[in-house]
Amino acid sequence: MKNIVSILNEFKKIGLTSFDGVTRCVYDENWLAAQKKYMQIASDYGLYTFVDDIGNVYATTEKNLGQKAFILSGSHMDTVINGGPLDGVYGTLASLILLLY
């Protein structure tokens, strides 16, 4: 398993600005790339992913949740303009890592 620092560094490259910040606005190409990367990482760890009608990505330990109770945890892939490398993505990845333990 990759450590969280190496994964965060991968995400920092998506939307990196000339000011060494990160910009991923909702639905822009960087945001979409980050969503896709998150789904790939989750799949690599054996999780199931799906996207709802407005673009929220979910990763689960079971393919079909059905009527089972579940807990949602997460964050966001978008950032403020020239945001820091942890903006949004840290909470998203922390939730992903919790599913793996």
Side-chain angles (χ1 to χ4, degrees), residues 4-54:
I4 191 155
V5 173
S6 66
I7 296 172
L8 285 167
N9 285 332
E10 290 178 35
F11 276 93
K12 181 180 178 182
K13 296 174 188 173
I14 303 172
L16 186 63
T17 69
S18 59
F19 299 104
D20 203 32
V22 179
T23 300
R24 290 188 295 266
C25 297
V26 174
Y27 305 124
D28 76 5
E29 63 193 39
N30 293 320
W31 182 83
L32 292 169
Q35 299 282 81
K36 184 176 179 180
K37 178 152 206 69
Y38 176 86
M39 291 177 72
Q40 182 60 56
I41 291 169
S43 293
D44 289 347
Y45 289 122
L47 299 172
Y48 302 98
T49 61
F50 63 95
V51 181
D52 68 16
D53 292 340
I54 60 171

